[in-house]
Amino acid sequence: MTIIENRAAETATASATRDILNPSTGQVIQTVPEHGAADVDRVVAVARDALENGPWATMRPSERSRVLLRIADEIERSTEELYRLEAQNNGRPVTETRAQLSRVPEWFRYNAGLLAAQRTAVLPSDGPYLTYQRRAPLGVCGIITPFNHPMLILARSLSAALANGNTVVVKPSELTPLTTLALLPILERAGVPAGVVQVVTGAAEAGRRLTEHPDIAKITLTGGTETGRSAAVATARRFARMTAELGGKTPVIVFDDVDPREAAEGAAFSAFVAAGQSCVAGSRFLVQRDVYDAFVEHLTARAAAIRVGDPDDPQTQMGPLISARQRGKVAELVDSSREEGATISTGGGVPALDGELAGGFFYAPTVIADATMAMRVAREEIFGPVAVVIPFDDEDDAVAMANDNPYGLGAGIWTHRLDRAHRVADRIEAGMVWINDHHRLEPSLPWGGIKESGIGKDAGIESFDEFSWLKTVVTRIAPDSVDWYGGAGTERLN
């Protein structure tokens, strides 16, 4: 904890502080500054000075690429410290945080590779002209990250922003800032110059000021849809760029040509990983009627067998929700399904745990059967370990139900028929579609949704290019001069 405490102290000018809780016990594990608007102004000024007067933006691309590779190496050397810290801070089991954080270096290596291989175009022009393009850093970029995947989501944007020569201000979730703070000395050891990456550890006031700040050239935000809507208005006022991954209500379509046990056991991951606290959590299982009962039976058995407990125990398969408030929201939605006539086939309450864990924010893995598309649990984002199972009749019915939602982030399809898989994938309104799997991602895969699930892409070359601006340079190479008003060169205009 020493590194975190020192780094938090370095950035602290706020008089207020915030207690960071371990959600598996409800106990305080760290205190960090509660930064506000004035603190954001201060750190943005530092980042702008580093952009304009430091070496990062003007460093040769090959040198920046080597720094990103060193960041990846330093993160790998610190992986055990980081994944244990993340498990303590957001409650995900160490088996999940270890698997996820072990992949974080890939994003830095991928963007280092894109930078090393970057080419700009020479464009065709009529007449005696050489026309080419150059790319330049956007400037100071703001990255706002959520509580559920703080390190991985930060790495996706930070690696692309740094590769392009930008400086960055990060505002992690006020609930889970610890791995972000722990990253600062790692970046320093890798050779990132002072001031290039700044962190503010505030809540809504800090996030709002970051999105509104006139010196922020781009905002990357992962969070709720209403937060994203407010940020989009703020950035649009000054024509800043914005990428937003927002809410989701992911449909998982199970057709009757797959074994219901196979589908239930495979798709359970989509509903219960991270205790369901994922924007692409499979919270709506649309199951063809002929296999519906069998699927519910197998999904119920799998959910009931999930080991809930201490995130630091390698045997634990699911940890707590992030807060008492979030657990209350999940419980209220589950209760509403009972009132609307659904059946709770397993879960639906707080599990009985002993000792310190009794003070944690746990909720049992829950399966809701006999649901309809009209129910709140089928329409609202739950963000908890709750799988809602709804029957459908045929392919058209499944597609219509899947698309009957304001969100469009992800979707899953379970079928062994190749023609059906691709046909349905084409018809689904979502930015990501998985067939016979879920939540698979790579640094090269553009991540992002449509409709109320956000705008833009994170990861992939699409994200890399969005952290720079494109300049076109037109050079006349003819030996003669142009004198429009004297009659020379008047054969064309524009």
Side-chain angles (χ1 to χ4, degrees):
M1 290 295 187
T2 303
I3 290 175
I4 299 166
E5 290 167 357
N6 289 344
R7 289 293 170 171
E10 284 177 17
T11 59
T13 61
S15 57
T17 59
R18 174 181 291 271
D19 291 337
I20 304 302
L21 304 184
N22 180 339
S24 64
T25 65
Q27 296 176 1
V28 177
I29 54 174
Q30 181 72 34
T31 299
V32 300
E34 179 68 13
H35 288 139
D39 299 296
V40 172
D41 291 346
R42 176 180 56 81
V43 298
V44 170
V46 172
R48 181 169 181 175
D49 181 68
L51 176 80
E52 295 175 348
N53 301 308
W56 189 248
T58 57
M59 189 180 288
R60 288 197 299 270
S62 60
E63 294 178 356
R64 280 205 307 273
S65 181
R66 284 195 290 271
V67 173
L68 263 69
L69 293 174
R70 289 199 296 270
I71 293 172
D73 293 341
E74 290 289 344
I75 290 174
E76 271 187 342
R77 282 190 278 270
S78 304
T79 295
E80 182 166 353
E81 172 195 350
L82 291 170
Y83 81 69
R84 291 192 181 280
L85 181 60
E86 190 151 295
Q88 185 182 40
N89 196 177
N90 76 356
R92 293 185 66 175
V94 289
T95 50
E96 289 186 15
T97 57
R98 180 192 294 116
Q100 188 172 86
L101 267 67
S102 67
R103 301 203 60 202
V104 166
E106 296 177 28
W107 266 261
F108 289 93
R109 291 179 178 134
Y110 173 77
N111 283 287
L114 287 182
L115 176 61
Q118 187 180 46
R119 294 182 178 183
T120 52
V122 175
L123 305 177
S125 296
D126 288 339
Y129 296 94
L130 173 65
T131 303
Y132 61 92
Q133 293 179 319
R134 299 291 302 272
R135 285 195 174 270
L138 290 177
V140 183
C141 298
I143 300 176
I144 301 174
T145 59
F147 69 80
N148 53 350
H149 315 292
M151 192 71 166
L152 181 67
I153 288 178
L154 173 59
R156 287 194 319 218
S157 297
L158 181 62
S159 56
L162 292 179
N164 280 283
N166 301 284
T167 59
V168 178
V169 176
V170 183
K171 196 209 83 64
S173 166
E174 65 273 19
L175 303 175
T176 56
L178 299 188
T179 48
T180 301
L181 291 168
L183 184 62
L184 290 175
I186 291 173
L187 298 176
E188 183 178 333
R189 291 197 300 269
V192 177
V196 169
V197 178
Q198 300 284 300
V199 177
V200 289
T201 54
E205 181 185 341
R208 184 165 52 249
R209 179 56 182 160
L210 193 60
T211 62
E212 294 172 350
H213 200 289
D215 289 338
I216 294 294
K218 176 179 169 69
I219 286 288
T220 300
L221 181 150
T222 304
T225 295
E226 290 311 310
T227 300
R229 202 185 310 277
S230 298
V233 171
T235 53
R237 286 195 181 103
R238 64 180 190 279
F239 301 106
R241 296 190 188 186
M242 180 175 169
T243 298
E245 180 200 322
L246 306 175
K249 190 65 179 173
T250 298
V252 177
I253 304 173
V254 179
F255 285 99
D256 60 6
D257 63 283
V258 295
D259 181 274
R261 178 192 293 273
E262 172 192 329
E265 293 178 351
F269 171 84
S270 69
F272 302 117
V273 69
Q277 297 172 115
S278 173
C279 296
V280 291
S283 60
R284 287 190 294 154
F285 286 83
L286 310 178
V287 182
Q288 199 152 17
R289 204 172 293 276
D290 287 349
V291 294
Y292 180 86
D293 290 340
F295 180 88
V296 169
E297 177 185 349
H298 293 305
L299 184 64
T300 298
R302 174 59 76 198
I306 291 174
R307 294 187 294 275
V308 179
D310 183 358
D312 201 40
D313 183 348
Q315 300 303 310
T316 294
Q317 295 177 313
M318 198 179 87
L321 297 175
I322 192 62
S323 66
R325 177 183 178 185
Q326 182 61 27
R327 183 172 66 180
K329 175 189 172 185
V330 172
E332 191 271 330
L333 279 167
V334 172
D335 289 345
S336 77
S337 73
R338 289 189 178 100
E339 296 167 2
E340 292 177 307
T343 301
I344 310 301
S345 64
T346 189
V350 177
L353 296 169
D354 298 326
E356 290 185 340
L357 299 182
F361 312 126
F362 292 89
Y363 196 83
T366 299
V367 176
I368 300 177
D370 304 319
T372 70
M373 284 292 295
M375 293 179 180
R376 288 180 60 200
V377 289
R379 308 202 65 79
E380 298 179 25
E381 186 174 32
I382 300 174
F383 232 64
V386 180
V388 181
V389 194
I390 306 169
F392 71 85
D393 293 316
D394 55 26
E395 186 176 307
D396 288 340
D397 190 28
V399 171
M401 292 166 67
N403 292 339
D404 182 18
N405 199 266
Y407 298 112
L409 185 56
I413 302 168
W414 289 79
T415 179
H416 292 323
R417 283 183 47 183
L418 190 62
D419 60 332
R420 170 184 280 162
H422 294 298
R423 185 170 60 245
V424 173
D426 280 347
R427 298 175 66 190
I428 294 294
E429 296 171 354
M432 299 286 293
V433 179
W434 295 276
I435 297 172
N436 298 330
D437 208 333
H438 202 88
H439 208 168
R440 300 299 302 176
L441 69 162
E442 304 289 342
S444 58
L445 304 183
W447 178 277
I450 60 173
K451 302 194 289 189
E452 292 196 8
S453 287
I455 55 174
K457 295 292 183 180
D458 223 358
I461 196 168
E462 292 81 358
S463 172
F464 180 85
D465 285 344
E466 277 297 302
F467 280 98
S468 64
W469 59 275
L470 195 61
K471 177 191 302 183
T472 300
V473 181
V474 182
T475 307
R476 180 177 171 83
I477 58 174
D480 56 321
S481 62
V482 176
D483 183 4
W484 176 271
Y485 293 105
T490 58
E491 68 279 1
R492 59 174 289 171
L493 182 65
N494 297 334

